Amino acid sequence: MSIADRTARSTVYNVTSTAIYTAVMFVRGVLLARLLAPEHFGVFTLGLSIVATTQVVARFGLSHGLVHRVSQDKADDTAIAVHFTLNNLFTLAWAALLLLGSYPLQRLAGWPDLTRQTFQALTLVYALDLFASTPMAVLTREVAFQRLALLRVVGAVLSSIVAVLMAWQGYGVWSLVAGEAAMQ
């Protein structure tokens, strides 16, 4: 199959997965808004905003470089190995900085223990996601968007089930963290 055909098929998969993802996340949001207190969303969003904003440093644009490099040289095992190594080193440094920095940040900002613990848990969740950057970049390079779209939809459904069931059982902010972990 030519790259044009794969790209056209991938567009259909992306549009379909985006529609399903949006519908699932909307229903999830409505259910969680009924089951959780506003404070839970506040604690979760505070931690997530810092983690998601700073993860750009750990990503460092390496995946885009790998996709470009591999697309020029076909399957260059050395480029993939270098990406994997550098990505993991940047991820470890980023996660260590956030985890160790969470204690002084807690004191400085006056966070309660729950906020720090949520922040630390989200740091670990996103670190695990960053460790998967190499295979995701290779799938992107191969224009394997059918697999990526399926992963996205399955992640949304699974994370929604986890988050809603845990919220229903009274786990509060941890239901949001577990839902985020299941999505990654």
Side-chain angles (χ1 to χ4, degrees):
M1 187 181 310
S2 73
I3 191 79
D5 292 336
R6 289 190 332 203
T7 302
R9 291 184 81 200
S10 295
T11 300
V12 172
Y13 290 124
N14 278 335
V15 168
T16 304
S17 74
T18 298
I20 294 169
Y21 176 87
T22 302
V24 168
M25 295 307 284
F26 176 77
V27 171
R28 170 186 169 167
V30 169
L31 291 173
L32 289 175
R34 302 302 247 161
L35 294 169
L36 297 174
E39 303 84 52
H40 299 136
F41 288 101
V43 168
F44 177 77
T45 303
L46 174 64
L48 185 63
S49 65
I50 296 169
V51 170
T53 302
T54 60
Q55 78 165 340
V56 173
V57 174
R59 288 195 185 276
F60 204 64
L62 292 174
S63 292
H64 298 295
L66 178 64
V67 169
H68 175 73
R69 165 80 183 198
V70 173
S71 66
Q72 299 298 318
D73 300 337
K74 296 288 181 201
D76 184 354
D77 290 339
T78 303
I80 293 170
V82 167
H83 177 275
F84 180 79
T85 302
L86 288 176
N87 178 67
N88 290 345
L89 288 174
F90 284 139
T91 298
L92 287 172
W94 167 80
L97 183 66
L98 287 185
L99 291 172
L100 294 174
S102 66
Y103 293 99
L105 187 59
Q106 177 185 13
R107 286 189 195 98
L108 182 68
W111 288 351
D113 285 341
L114 179 63
T115 303
R116 178 188 42 80
Q117 292 164 354
T118 302
F119 175 73
Q120 290 172 332
L122 287 168
T123 299
L124 294 174
V125 166
Y126 274 77
L128 290 175
D129 181 52
L130 286 169
F131 286 133
S133 293
T134 302
M136 297 303 265
V138 171
L139 285 174
T140 300
R141 185 261 173 232
E142 292 174 356
V143 195
F145 289 107
Q146 178 181 6
R147 292 180 192 160
L148 292 170
L150 182 61
L151 284 171
R152 185 174 185 206
V153 168
V154 169
V157 170
L158 178 63
S159 71
S160 296
I161 291 169
V162 168
V164 169
L165 285 177
M166 286 184 69
W168 182 53
Q169 293 296 317
Y171 285 97
V173 71
W174 296 111
S175 61
L176 295 169
V177 173
E180 193 70 19
M183 179 121 40
Q184 304 302 328

